[in-house]
mmCIF file of all heavy atoms in Angstrom:
data_model
loop_
_atom_site.group_PDB
_atom_site.id
_atom_site.type_symbol
_atom_site.label_atom_id
_atom_site.label_comp_id
_atom_site.label_asym_id
_atom_site.label_seq_id
_atom_site.Cartn_x
_atom_site.Cartn_y
_atom_site.Cartn_z
ATOM 1 N N VAL A 5 42.864 80.151 48.119
ATOM 2 C CA VAL A 5 43.500 78.916 47.557
ATOM 3 C C VAL A 5 44.842 78.640 48.040
ATOM 4 O O VAL A 5 45.134 77.546 48.424
ATOM 5 C CB VAL A 5 43.387 78.954 45.964
ATOM 6 C CG1 VAL A 5 44.167 77.786 45.436
ATOM 7 C CG2 VAL A 5 41.944 78.861 45.454
ATOM 8 N N SER A 6 45.629 79.654 48.125
ATOM 9 C CA SER A 6 47.064 79.485 48.687
ATOM 10 C C SER A 6 47.096 78.955 50.108
ATOM 11 O O SER A 6 47.904 78.127 50.390
ATOM 12 C CB SER A 6 47.791 80.880 48.498
ATOM 13 O OG SER A 6 48.039 81.192 47.103
ATOM 14 N N PHE A 7 46.230 79.614 50.877
ATOM 15 C CA PHE A 7 46.133 79.327 52.192
ATOM 16 C C PHE A 7 45.600 77.714 52.405
ATOM 17 O O PHE A 7 46.101 77.002 53.232
ATOM 18 C CB PHE A 7 45.283 80.098 53.178
ATOM 19 C CG PHE A 7 46.146 81.370 53.605
ATOM 20 C CD1 PHE A 7 45.728 82.641 53.092
ATOM 21 C CD2 PHE A 7 47.210 81.281 54.399
ATOM 22 C CE1 PHE A 7 46.475 83.826 53.517
ATOM 23 C CE2 PHE A 7 47.991 82.347 54.739
ATOM 24 C CZ PHE A 7 47.672 83.690 54.294
ATOM 25 N N THR A 8 44.731 77.387 51.578
ATOM 26 C CA THR A 8 44.259 76.065 51.563
ATOM 27 C C THR A 8 45.335 75.042 51.283
ATOM 28 O O THR A 8 45.453 73.957 51.810
ATOM 29 C CB THR A 8 43.052 75.917 50.668
ATOM 30 O OG1 THR A 8 41.988 76.850 51.059
ATOM 31 C CG2 THR A 8 42.477 74.519 50.582
ATOM 32 N N LEU A 9 46.099 75.418 50.141
ATOM 33 C CA LEU A 9 47.106 74.524 49.626
ATOM 34 C C LEU A 9 48.225 74.369 50.715
ATOM 35 O O LEU A 9 48.789 73.312 50.967
ATOM 36 C CB LEU A 9 47.733 74.955 48.352
ATOM 37 C CG LEU A 9 46.695 74.816 47.111
ATOM 38 C CD1 LEU A 9 47.355 75.470 45.888
ATOM 39 C CD2 LEU A 9 46.304 73.460 46.853
ATOM 40 N N ILE A 10 48.628 75.418 51.436
ATOM 41 C CA ILE A 10 49.610 75.472 52.422
ATOM 42 C C ILE A 10 49.083 74.577 53.523
ATOM 43 O O ILE A 10 49.822 73.773 54.171
ATOM 44 C CB ILE A 10 49.864 76.865 52.850
ATOM 45 C CG1 ILE A 10 50.676 77.605 51.751
ATOM 46 C CG2 ILE A 10 50.756 76.870 54.198
ATOM 47 C CD1 ILE A 10 50.949 79.104 52.061
ATOM 48 N N GLY A 11 47.767 74.641 53.855
ATOM 49 C CA GLY A 11 47.207 73.841 54.902
ATOM 50 C C GLY A 11 47.252 72.380 54.570
ATOM 51 O O GLY A 11 47.619 71.423 55.291
ATOM 52 N N MET A 12 47.121 72.085 53.222
ATOM 53 C CA MET A 12 47.144 70.644 52.789
ATOM 54 C C MET A 12 48.643 70.232 52.919
ATOM 55 O O MET A 12 48.941 69.057 53.327
ATOM 56 C CB MET A 12 46.643 70.542 51.253
ATOM 57 C CG MET A 12 45.204 70.782 51.134
ATOM 58 S SD MET A 12 44.690 70.808 49.329
ATOM 59 C CE MET A 12 45.428 69.277 48.720
ATOM 60 N N LEU A 13 49.614 70.930 52.586
ATOM 61 C CA LEU A 13 50.953 70.628 52.608
ATOM 62 C C LEU A 13 51.290 70.379 54.115
ATOM 63 O O LEU A 13 51.921 69.415 54.371
ATOM 64 C CB LEU A 13 51.841 71.775 52.021
ATOM 65 C CG LEU A 13 53.268 71.516 52.136
ATOM 66 C CD1 LEU A 13 53.667 70.283 51.263
ATOM 67 C CD2 LEU A 13 54.075 72.705 51.642
ATOM 68 N N GLY A 14 50.842 71.252 55.024
ATOM 69 C CA GLY A 14 51.223 71.062 56.483
ATOM 70 C C GLY A 14 50.556 69.778 57.004
ATOM 71 O O GLY A 14 51.248 69.069 57.728
ATOM 72 N N SER A 15 49.288 69.428 56.511
ATOM 73 C CA SER A 15 48.666 68.349 57.031
ATOM 74 C C SER A 15 49.351 67.057 56.569
ATOM 75 O O SER A 15 49.427 65.986 57.194
ATOM 76 C CB SER A 15 47.146 68.334 56.766
ATOM 77 O OG SER A 15 47.021 67.998 55.317
ATOM 78 N N GLY A 16 49.830 67.062 55.340
ATOM 79 C CA GLY A 16 50.666 65.868 54.737
ATOM 80 C C GLY A 16 51.885 65.685 55.494
ATOM 81 O O GLY A 16 52.278 64.618 55.765
ATOM 82 N N ILE A 17 52.518 66.780 55.824
ATOM 83 C CA ILE A 17 53.787 66.650 56.595
ATOM 84 C C ILE A 17 53.475 66.137 58.108
ATOM 85 O O ILE A 17 54.244 65.283 58.495
ATOM 86 C CB ILE A 17 54.458 68.052 56.642
ATOM 87 C CG1 ILE A 17 55.020 68.473 55.317
ATOM 88 C CG2 ILE A 17 55.646 68.048 57.721
ATOM 89 C CD1 ILE A 17 55.695 69.779 55.198
ATOM 90 N N ALA A 18 52.403 66.601 58.592
ATOM 91 C CA ALA A 18 52.152 66.042 60.070
ATOM 92 C C ALA A 18 51.663 64.592 59.952
ATOM 93 O O ALA A 18 52.047 63.933 60.992
ATOM 94 C CB ALA A 18 50.967 66.978 60.529
ATOM 95 N N ARG A 19 51.027 64.124 58.927
ATOM 96 C CA ARG A 19 50.564 62.759 58.758
ATOM 97 C C ARG A 19 51.897 61.829 58.738
ATOM 98 O O ARG A 19 51.718 60.700 58.979
ATOM 99 C CB ARG A 19 49.726 62.568 57.603
ATOM 100 C CG ARG A 19 48.291 62.631 58.024
ATOM 101 C CD ARG A 19 47.476 62.031 56.723
ATOM 102 N NE ARG A 19 47.995 62.733 55.505
ATOM 103 C CZ ARG A 19 47.225 63.346 54.613
ATOM 104 N NH1 ARG A 19 46.007 63.457 54.761
ATOM 105 N NH2 ARG A 19 47.873 63.894 53.522
ATOM 106 N N ARG A 20 52.832 62.285 58.110
ATOM 107 C CA ARG A 20 54.046 61.459 57.901
ATOM 108 C C ARG A 20 54.642 60.872 59.101
ATOM 109 O O ARG A 20 54.972 59.694 59.119
ATOM 110 C CB ARG A 20 55.089 62.304 57.199
ATOM 111 C CG ARG A 20 55.523 61.637 55.870
ATOM 112 C CD ARG A 20 56.652 62.373 55.169
ATOM 113 N NE ARG A 20 57.778 62.443 55.938
ATOM 114 C CZ ARG A 20 58.459 63.523 56.328
ATOM 115 N NH1 ARG A 20 58.053 64.563 56.091
ATOM 116 N NH2 ARG A 20 59.514 63.315 57.067
ATOM 117 N N THR A 21 54.807 61.601 60.168
ATOM 118 C CA THR A 21 55.293 61.160 61.434
ATOM 119 C C THR A 21 56.430 60.055 61.474
ATOM 120 O O THR A 21 56.210 58.913 61.697
ATOM 121 C CB THR A 21 54.124 60.703 62.390
ATOM 122 O OG1 THR A 21 53.489 59.608 61.828
ATOM 123 C CG2 THR A 21 53.063 61.769 62.608
ATOM 124 N N GLY A 22 57.538 60.420 61.066
ATOM 125 C CA GLY A 22 58.671 59.555 61.150
ATOM 126 C C GLY A 22 58.901 58.668 59.848
ATOM 127 O O GLY A 22 59.907 58.027 59.762
ATOM 128 N N ARG A 23 57.883 58.614 59.135
ATOM 129 C CA ARG A 23 58.015 57.758 57.932
ATOM 130 C C ARG A 23 58.783 58.473 56.860
ATOM 131 O O ARG A 23 58.576 59.692 56.693
ATOM 132 C CB ARG A 23 56.602 57.385 57.327
ATOM 133 C CG ARG A 23 56.593 56.369 56.245
ATOM 134 C CD ARG A 23 55.133 55.918 55.852
ATOM 135 N NE ARG A 23 54.283 57.119 55.674
ATOM 136 C CZ ARG A 23 54.191 57.663 54.505
ATOM 137 N NH1 ARG A 23 54.880 57.369 53.409
ATOM 138 N NH2 ARG A 23 53.238 58.724 54.400
ATOM 139 N N ARG A 24 59.616 57.800 56.130
ATOM 140 C CA ARG A 24 60.345 58.417 55.035
ATOM 141 C C ARG A 24 59.396 58.714 53.828
ATOM 142 O O ARG A 24 58.510 58.060 53.521
ATOM 143 C CB ARG A 24 61.366 57.492 54.560
ATOM 144 C CG ARG A 24 62.513 58.116 53.669
ATOM 145 C CD ARG A 24 63.660 57.275 53.594
ATOM 146 N NE ARG A 24 64.545 58.030 52.656
ATOM 147 C CZ ARG A 24 65.417 57.612 51.959
ATOM 148 N NH1 ARG A 24 65.685 56.301 51.896
ATOM 149 N NH2 ARG A 24 66.236 58.461 51.186
ATOM 150 N N MET A 25 59.661 60.002 53.252
ATOM 151 C CA MET A 25 58.760 60.310 52.136
ATOM 152 C C MET A 25 59.019 59.583 50.850
ATOM 153 O O MET A 25 60.214 59.326 50.570
ATOM 154 C CB MET A 25 59.007 61.893 51.807
ATOM 155 C CG MET A 25 58.266 62.783 52.785
ATOM 156 S SD MET A 25 58.661 64.498 52.428
ATOM 157 C CE MET A 25 57.704 64.677 50.928
ATOM 158 N N THR A 26 58.033 59.255 50.171
ATOM 159 C CA THR A 26 58.153 58.532 48.816
ATOM 160 C C THR A 26 58.480 59.601 47.830
ATOM 161 O O THR A 26 58.373 60.822 48.070
ATOM 162 C CB THR A 26 56.885 57.821 48.428
ATOM 163 O OG1 THR A 26 55.882 58.755 48.238
ATOM 164 C CG2 THR A 26 56.564 56.735 49.486
ATOM 165 N N ARG A 27 58.919 59.167 46.742
ATOM 166 C CA ARG A 27 59.212 60.209 45.633
ATOM 167 C C ARG A 27 57.895 60.958 45.194
ATOM 168 O O ARG A 27 58.018 62.078 44.963
ATOM 169 C CB ARG A 27 59.786 59.476 44.345
ATOM 170 C CG ARG A 27 60.180 60.342 43.244
ATOM 171 C CD ARG A 27 60.880 59.670 42.121
ATOM 172 N NE ARG A 27 60.498 58.366 42.055
ATOM 173 C CZ ARG A 27 60.657 57.635 40.916
ATOM 174 N NH1 ARG A 27 61.087 58.301 39.783
ATOM 175 N NH2 ARG A 27 60.285 56.427 40.757
ATOM 176 N N ALA A 28 56.843 60.193 45.132
ATOM 177 C CA ALA A 28 55.581 60.865 44.747
ATOM 178 C C ALA A 28 55.206 61.915 45.807
ATOM 179 O O ALA A 28 54.767 63.151 45.493
ATOM 180 C CB ALA A 28 54.430 59.858 44.635
ATOM 181 N N GLU A 29 55.470 61.617 47.093
ATOM 182 C CA GLU A 29 55.057 62.629 48.133
ATOM 183 C C GLU A 29 56.030 63.857 48.070
ATOM 184 O O GLU A 29 55.575 64.882 48.230
ATOM 185 C CB GLU A 29 55.117 61.960 49.603
ATOM 186 C CG GLU A 29 54.131 61.087 49.848
ATOM 187 C CD GLU A 29 54.376 60.247 51.083
ATOM 188 O OE1 GLU A 29 55.499 59.955 51.506
ATOM 189 O OE2 GLU A 29 53.282 59.769 51.750
ATOM 190 N N TRP A 30 57.277 63.519 47.845
ATOM 191 C CA TRP A 30 58.196 64.630 47.713
ATOM 192 C C TRP A 30 57.837 65.473 46.524
ATOM 193 O O TRP A 30 57.953 66.756 46.643
ATOM 194 C CB TRP A 30 59.744 64.019 47.547
ATOM 195 C CG TRP A 30 60.763 65.141 47.519
ATOM 196 C CD1 TRP A 30 61.314 65.663 48.705
ATOM 197 C CD2 TRP A 30 61.255 65.884 46.432
ATOM 198 N NE1 TRP A 30 62.158 66.639 48.272
ATOM 199 C CE2 TRP A 30 62.230 66.712 46.798
ATOM 200 C CE3 TRP A 30 60.983 65.756 45.043
ATOM 201 C CZ2 TRP A 30 62.886 67.622 46.038
ATOM 202 C CZ3 TRP A 30 61.716 66.515 44.233
ATOM 203 C CH2 TRP A 30 62.688 67.395 44.746
ATOM 204 N N LEU A 31 57.540 64.952 45.465
ATOM 205 C CA LEU A 31 57.208 65.770 44.163
ATOM 206 C C LEU A 31 55.884 66.485 44.536
ATOM 207 O O LEU A 31 55.800 67.650 44.064
ATOM 208 C CB LEU A 31 57.108 64.813 43.066
ATOM 209 C CG LEU A 31 58.410 64.348 42.484
ATOM 210 C CD1 LEU A 31 58.183 63.234 41.460
ATOM 211 C CD2 LEU A 31 59.231 65.404 41.906
ATOM 212 N N GLY A 32 54.924 65.909 45.129
ATOM 213 C CA GLY A 32 53.624 66.591 45.418
ATOM 214 C C GLY A 32 53.946 67.682 46.429
ATOM 215 O O GLY A 32 53.304 68.710 46.296
ATOM 216 N N GLY A 33 54.851 67.513 47.316
ATOM 217 C CA GLY A 33 55.135 68.571 48.236
ATOM 218 C C GLY A 33 55.839 69.716 47.594
ATOM 219 O O GLY A 33 55.837 70.870 48.078
ATOM 220 N N THR A 34 56.425 69.413 46.462
ATOM 221 C CA THR A 34 57.122 70.500 45.719
ATOM 222 C C THR A 34 56.097 71.198 44.731
ATOM 223 O O THR A 34 56.162 72.382 44.602
ATOM 224 C CB THR A 34 58.275 69.944 44.789
ATOM 225 O OG1 THR A 34 59.146 69.317 45.724
ATOM 226 C CG2 THR A 34 58.987 71.010 44.097
ATOM 227 N N ALA A 35 55.139 70.473 44.401
ATOM 228 C CA ALA A 35 54.130 71.076 43.411
ATOM 229 C C ALA A 35 53.205 72.033 44.196
ATOM 230 O O ALA A 35 52.836 73.129 43.651
ATOM 231 C CB ALA A 35 53.296 69.949 42.842
ATOM 232 N N LEU A 36 52.912 71.699 45.451
ATOM 233 C CA LEU A 36 51.985 72.697 46.189
ATOM 234 C C LEU A 36 52.491 74.075 46.429
ATOM 235 O O LEU A 36 51.859 75.035 46.227
ATOM 236 C CB LEU A 36 51.474 72.026 47.466
ATOM 237 C CG LEU A 36 50.475 70.884 47.406
ATOM 238 C CD1 LEU A 36 50.110 70.297 48.646
ATOM 239 C CD2 LEU A 36 49.149 71.374 46.787
ATOM 240 N N PRO A 37 53.783 74.217 46.960
ATOM 241 C CA PRO A 37 54.313 75.440 47.095
ATOM 242 C C PRO A 37 54.583 76.173 45.737
ATOM 243 O O PRO A 37 54.441 77.407 45.687
ATOM 244 C CB PRO A 37 55.700 75.184 47.768
ATOM 245 C CG PRO A 37 55.664 73.912 48.350
ATOM 246 C CD PRO A 37 54.579 73.196 47.546
ATOM 247 N N SER A 38 54.746 75.450 44.617
ATOM 248 C CA SER A 38 54.939 76.120 43.324
ATOM 249 C C SER A 38 53.599 76.682 42.838
ATOM 250 O O SER A 38 53.586 77.641 42.313
ATOM 251 C CB SER A 38 55.385 75.033 42.340
ATOM 252 O OG SER A 38 56.648 74.514 42.671
ATOM 253 N N VAL A 39 52.473 75.936 43.181
ATOM 254 C CA VAL A 39 51.166 76.435 42.823
ATOM 255 C C VAL A 39 50.911 77.704 43.663
ATOM 256 O O VAL A 39 50.413 78.727 43.098
ATOM 257 C CB VAL A 39 50.099 75.381 43.024
ATOM 258 C CG1 VAL A 39 48.633 75.975 42.927
ATOM 259 C CG2 VAL A 39 50.219 74.231 42.027
ATOM 260 N N CYS A 40 51.199 77.688 44.920
ATOM 261 C CA CYS A 40 51.011 78.825 45.840
ATOM 262 C C CYS A 40 51.827 80.055 45.346
ATOM 263 O O CYS A 40 51.382 81.211 45.367
ATOM 264 C CB CYS A 40 51.425 78.443 47.244
ATOM 265 S SG CYS A 40 50.330 77.375 48.115
ATOM 266 N N ALA A 41 53.152 79.824 45.044
ATOM 267 C CA ALA A 41 53.821 80.900 44.464
ATOM 268 C C ALA A 41 53.362 81.492 43.130
ATOM 269 O O ALA A 41 53.355 82.745 43.017
ATOM 270 C CB ALA A 41 55.386 80.309 44.158
ATOM 271 N N THR A 42 52.812 80.578 42.272
ATOM 272 C CA THR A 42 52.207 81.013 41.064
ATOM 273 C C THR A 42 50.965 82.023 41.278
ATOM 274 O O THR A 42 50.894 83.164 40.828
ATOM 275 C CB THR A 42 51.720 79.884 40.055
ATOM 276 O OG1 THR A 42 52.859 79.071 39.893
ATOM 277 C CG2 THR A 42 51.160 80.393 38.823
ATOM 278 N N ILE A 43 50.170 81.445 42.277
ATOM 279 C CA ILE A 43 49.013 82.336 42.591
ATOM 280 C C ILE A 43 49.354 83.681 43.286
ATOM 281 O O ILE A 43 48.847 84.759 42.944
ATOM 282 C CB ILE A 43 48.064 81.463 43.560
ATOM 283 C CG1 ILE A 43 47.419 80.347 42.735
ATOM 284 C CG2 ILE A 43 46.966 82.375 44.144
ATOM 285 C CD1 ILE A 43 46.738 79.286 43.554
ATOM 286 N N ALA A 44 50.387 83.589 44.166
ATOM 287 C CA ALA A 44 50.807 84.738 44.942
ATOM 288 C C ALA A 44 51.491 85.781 43.902
ATOM 289 O O ALA A 44 51.153 87.003 44.081
ATOM 290 C CB ALA A 44 51.842 84.411 46.007
ATOM 291 N N LEU A 45 52.180 85.389 43.109
ATOM 292 C CA LEU A 45 52.853 86.241 42.079
ATOM 293 C C LEU A 45 51.805 86.944 41.165
ATOM 294 O O LEU A 45 51.890 88.082 40.842
ATOM 295 C CB LEU A 45 53.836 85.497 41.130
ATOM 296 C CG LEU A 45 55.226 85.188 41.856
ATOM 297 C CD1 LEU A 45 55.951 84.224 41.167
ATOM 298 C CD2 LEU A 45 55.942 86.543 41.949
ATOM 299 N N TYR A 46 50.723 86.059 40.779
ATOM 300 C CA TYR A 46 49.660 86.675 39.870
ATOM 301 C C TYR A 46 48.984 87.574 40.713
ATOM 302 O O TYR A 46 48.617 88.793 40.159
ATOM 303 C CB TYR A 46 48.778 85.579 39.383
ATOM 304 C CG TYR A 46 47.748 86.111 38.446
ATOM 305 C CD1 TYR A 46 48.104 86.232 37.103
ATOM 306 C CD2 TYR A 46 46.501 86.566 38.889
ATOM 307 C CE1 TYR A 46 47.136 86.707 36.174
ATOM 308 C CE2 TYR A 46 45.556 87.073 38.039
ATOM 309 C CZ TYR A 46 45.929 87.235 36.652
ATOM 310 O OH TYR A 46 45.092 87.709 35.743
ATOM 311 N N ALA A 47 48.657 87.418 41.943
ATOM 312 C CA ALA A 47 47.893 88.333 42.834
ATOM 313 C C ALA A 47 48.655 89.624 43.045
ATOM 314 O O ALA A 47 48.229 90.750 42.915
ATOM 315 C CB ALA A 47 47.473 87.680 44.098
ATOM 316 N N TRP A 48 49.943 89.488 43.196
ATOM 317 C CA TRP A 48 50.880 90.619 43.422
ATOM 318 C C TRP A 48 50.874 91.537 42.094
ATOM 319 O O TRP A 48 50.768 92.746 42.209
ATOM 320 C CB TRP A 48 52.240 90.197 43.779
ATOM 321 C CG TRP A 48 53.336 91.252 43.910
ATOM 322 C CD1 TRP A 48 54.360 91.564 43.208
ATOM 323 C CD2 TRP A 48 53.290 92.270 44.939
ATOM 324 N NE1 TRP A 48 55.003 92.598 43.616
ATOM 325 C CE2 TRP A 48 54.431 93.092 44.716
ATOM 326 C CE3 TRP A 48 52.523 92.502 46.018
ATOM 327 C CZ2 TRP A 48 54.709 94.128 45.479
ATOM 328 C CZ3 TRP A 48 52.809 93.604 46.887
ATOM 329 C CH2 TRP A 48 53.897 94.505 46.536
ATOM 330 N N GLY A 49 50.966 91.010 40.960
ATOM 331 C CA GLY A 49 50.966 91.554 39.762
ATOM 332 C C GLY A 49 49.632 92.303 39.477
ATOM 333 O O GLY A 49 49.530 93.485 39.072
ATOM 334 N N ALA A 50 48.544 91.500 39.777
ATOM 335 C CA ALA A 50 47.175 92.003 39.645
ATOM 336 C C ALA A 50 46.892 93.298 40.485
ATOM 337 O O ALA A 50 46.230 94.163 40.022
ATOM 338 C CB ALA A 50 46.156 90.938 39.953
ATOM 339 N N LEU A 51 47.464 93.174 41.723
ATOM 340 C CA LEU A 51 47.241 94.422 42.547
ATOM 341 C C LEU A 51 47.871 95.661 41.895
ATOM 342 O O LEU A 51 47.369 96.724 42.162
ATOM 343 C CB LEU A 51 47.916 94.147 43.959
ATOM 344 C CG LEU A 51 47.182 93.209 44.918
ATOM 345 C CD1 LEU A 51 47.861 92.845 46.134
ATOM 346 C CD2 LEU A 51 45.763 93.751 45.279
ATOM 347 N N HIS A 52 49.051 95.470 41.290
ATOM 348 C CA HIS A 52 49.737 96.674 40.636
ATOM 349 C C HIS A 52 48.777 97.186 39.556
ATOM 350 O O HIS A 52 48.713 98.455 39.363
ATOM 351 C CB HIS A 52 51.056 96.297 40.003
ATOM 352 C CG HIS A 52 52.093 96.159 41.104
ATOM 353 N ND1 HIS A 52 52.335 95.067 41.850
ATOM 354 C CD2 HIS A 52 53.031 97.097 41.480
ATOM 355 C CE1 HIS A 52 53.365 95.312 42.678
ATOM 356 N NE2 HIS A 52 53.849 96.458 42.391
#
């Protein structure tokens, strides 16, 4: 899921091509790494 979300974020950045990001795009771009961080932290703790 983390790699999928990072791929989605990367494709969204690539699609932008010179256009200024809207507030919704900026917030969505912040939400995806936050979800990835949550998942990664859970996996790290679960491994312990």
